[in-house]
Amino acid sequence: MSIPVVTVGAANEAVVDGLERLHGPVTVVRRCSELTELLAACQSGLALAAIVGDGSEELTTTLVDRLGAVGVCVVALTDSEDEARRLRSIGVVAASADIEPVVLAAEISRAVERTSSYGQADGPRSTGFAAPAADSPTAPQPEEAMAETSGSGRIFAVWGPAGAPGRTLLAVNMAAELAADGQSVILVDADSYGASVSAMLGLLDESAGLAQACRLADQGLLDIEALTAAASEVFTKAGSFRVLTGTTRADRWTELRAAALTLVLERARQLADVVVIDTGFCLEADEELTFDTLAPRRNASTLCSLELADVVFAVGSADAIGVPRLVRGLAELELVVQQASPRVVLNKVKRSAVGYAPEQQLAEAWSRYGPAFGIEAYIPSDPEACDAALLSGSVLLECAPDSDLRRAIAGLVCAPVHQKRHSFGRTARAPRRLKR
Ligand SMILES: Nc1ncnc2c1ncn2[C@@H]1O[C@H](COP(=O)(O)OP(=O)(O)OP(=O)(O)O)[C@@H](O)[C@H]1O
Ligand SMILES: [Mg+2]
């Protein structure tokens, strides 16, 4: 079958003419005058590949992801080494502007093959867009681009249903404990509904480091230095960790597109031993918003974080509202992120909400109504320690080092032997200082 392609860019028409003269594996079905026209043609199902003859600078991760969502791979012609590198990092096949048509046709065939086999693979790599059909292939990602960005750090996603079960408190303090344990850590605030990591850490930062990093990733410009610059550094008495702050204005959620966030998280894996993500609560895959035919998803940042996570901590409030919510949320999680195998954490455990011997009562209720996997940890309620931390913009290892709450959170991510090593006076209340 001849591969239908659409093209844009007048500067390299000769290459496209050459392709047509091959009368072979590739058929040029439309020559577009601009990228928006090319996108519309691809969305109508006209082509399997798009050739960007010139003006490749306008290609972004989001646009490539959009095309990938409708099963179209992108090949761009450029003579610049830097631009070719940038293009590859956003999933575009870069070819030289004077490429022989027959070689270009072969490149296109290979790219199309990769895209279609990617679509058949069952591993989920979500695009930032609501797919128009359930069986739409997902974004093509050349192996070399993945290899360029894959690091060895682990990703811990902290998720939990609605009702403020303590996702942020856990994520922030896990990051602090891991840093105190000597690991390099980057904390990412990917909650597209209520980013609050910077408030919890007393950061004065309003620049939404994660949005900045996503913007650079979208343009294919996010290297380690750029990621480091977008992150704030937080110092505690026991170590420091980096933070990509979230978008505090509700209307900025569209800046956290899955395709760009995926690149940010892959880059973060290269920068740190552990990437801790504070996610949003909502797992709905679709929204009724429509932009063009493919809608950016508000929950894309949460879903993408959960898909990429090596470990998902599922946090619920230990009370009559929080536990059933968590049980329902876990069922939903299993449907949308099948590989997640979450570690269940019940937070704010207290007698007044559950009754005598709360852990036992919760375990019994869980064995009757909960999913097959058990509760991994019970985190005690300690409003005093939490309020003190919030008031001083500090972490528990500084403001409540000997509390059971701090120990229980540390126990989730560090070996017990390390938890005792760092114990600091209760007077340590230094607010975080920002270093860029
Ligand atoms: N173990 C705990 N004991 C007492 N209070 C707690 C505990 N964990 C969290 N809290 C308090 O509960 C509130 C909500 O916590 P947090 O902001 O971490 O929740 P969240 O799940 O991130 O909520 P949101 O939906 O706003 O993102 C905060 O005031 C926090 O101090
Ligand atoms: Mg939160």
Side-chain angles (χ1 to χ4, degrees):
M1 186 198 87
S2 183
I3 298 168
V5 301
V6 289
T7 70
V8 67
N12 292 304
E13 288 269 287
V15 179
V16 179
D17 293 342
L19 271 182
E20 282 193 315
R21 276 197 298 275
L22 289 177
H23 302 294
V26 172
T27 307
V28 180
V29 290
R30 183 171 301 171
R31 294 181 188 227
C32 305
S33 54
E34 52 186 42
L35 271 176
T36 44
E37 188 189 342
L38 178 132
L39 179 62
C42 292
Q43 284 177 341
S44 67
L46 206 62
L48 286 175
I51 302 173
V52 179
D54 65 297
S56 65
E57 302 75 28
E58 287 178 53
L59 287 171
T60 61
T61 307
T62 302
L63 186 56
V64 175
D65 190 48
R66 247 179 204 219
L67 292 166
V70 290
V72 176
C73 59
V74 186
V75 179
L77 307 183
T78 178
D79 281 330
S80 154
E81 282 281 315
D82 287 347
E83 177 62 357
R85 204 169 313 115
R86 183 192 83 83
L87 289 168
R88 280 195 288 273
S89 79
I90 61 172
V92 173
V93 177
S96 133
D98 56 6
I99 190 169
E100 287 295 323
V102 67
V103 181
L104 180 58
E107 283 280 2
I108 293 168
S109 301
R110 267 201 299 279
V112 167
E113 215 169 283
R114 242 184 345 245
T115 305
S116 57
S117 59
Y118 210 91
Q120 284 152 19
D122 39 29
R125 179 181 139 69
S126 77
T127 69
F129 302 93
D135 60 352
S136 286
T138 50
Q141 189 75 1
E143 280 148 34
E144 71 186 287
M146 285 308 263
E148 247 180 43
T149 52
S150 60
S152 58
R154 288 168 302 152
I155 297 183
F156 293 175
V158 183
W159 169 83
R167 292 182 303 271
T168 306
L169 182 96
L170 257 60
V172 163
N173 285 284
M174 279 179 186
E177 296 294 343
L178 285 160
D181 196 35
Q183 312 221 35
S184 67
V185 181
I186 182 159
L187 173 63
V188 179
D189 191 343
D191 185 344
S192 55
Y193 289 87
S196 55
V197 165
S198 57
M200 202 168 266
L201 285 168
L203 299 177
L204 304 168
D205 177 69
E206 284 298 322
S207 58
L210 181 58
Q212 261 184 54
C214 283
R215 207 161 31 246
L216 290 169
D218 201 30
Q219 294 159 2
L221 300 173
L222 189 75
D223 54 18
I224 293 288
E225 289 77 48
L227 180 62
T228 310
S232 310
E233 191 155 11
V234 169
F235 294 89
T236 74
K237 290 207 162 180
S240 69
F241 58 95
R242 293 192 167 87
V243 181
L244 282 176
T245 52
T247 50
T248 40
R249 265 188 20 222
D251 59 344
R252 289 186 66 185
W253 61 267
T254 51
E255 294 174 42
L256 308 182
R257 307 266 184 150
L261 183 61
T262 300
L263 291 177
V264 173
L265 294 179
E266 292 296 352
R267 208 46 106 198
R269 270 190 208 270
Q270 294 179 313
L271 183 63
D273 300 326
V274 188
V275 183
V276 180
I277 313 175
D278 180 12
T279 73
F281 65 92
C282 190
L283 299 176
E284 279 168 27
D286 250 318
E287 305 234 315
E288 285 178 1
L289 296 165
T290 45
F291 294 90
D292 303 320
T293 47
L294 295 166
R297 292 177 292 152
R298 180 152 195 178
N299 304 324
S301 58
T302 296
L303 293 168
C304 161
S305 302
L306 293 169
E307 279 167 8
L308 288 176
D310 299 293
V311 182
V312 172
F313 290 94
V315 191
S317 293
D319 57 45
I321 295 171
V323 173
R325 260 189 197 164
L326 179 61
V327 171
R328 284 194 296 275
L330 285 168
E332 215 182 316
L333 179 66
E334 200 181 351
L335 286 178
V336 294
V337 189
Q338 279 138 18
Q339 79 277 20
S341 60
R343 291 165 64 174
V344 176
V345 178
L346 291 187
N347 187 26
K348 308 188 194 182
V349 175
K350 54 182 182 235
R351 272 193 205 179
S352 56
V354 184
Y356 182 72
E359 295 188 5
Q360 196 184 326
Q361 302 242 28
L362 288 162
E364 280 170 13
W366 194 265
S367 66
R368 260 177 281 145
Y369 306 111
F373 42 86
I375 299 166
E376 169 156 335
Y378 300 89
I379 311 287
S381 172
D382 188 344
E384 218 179 288
C386 290
D387 289 350
L390 205 52
L391 187 66
S392 58
S394 61
V395 291
L396 293 167
L397 67 79
E398 288 183 314
C399 72
D402 299 323
S403 62
D404 290 342
L405 173 59
R406 182 247 160 153
R407 286 214 184 87
I409 296 175
L412 288 171
V413 286
C414 302
V417 67
H418 291 122
Q419 293 165 38
K420 300 231 164 68
R421 237 177 34 203
H422 309 287
S423 183
F424 303 94
R426 277 187 174 270
T427 47
R429 291 280 169 92
R432 308 278 68 70
R433 279 180 238 315
L434 247 190
K435 191 177 163 215
R436 307 293 302 187

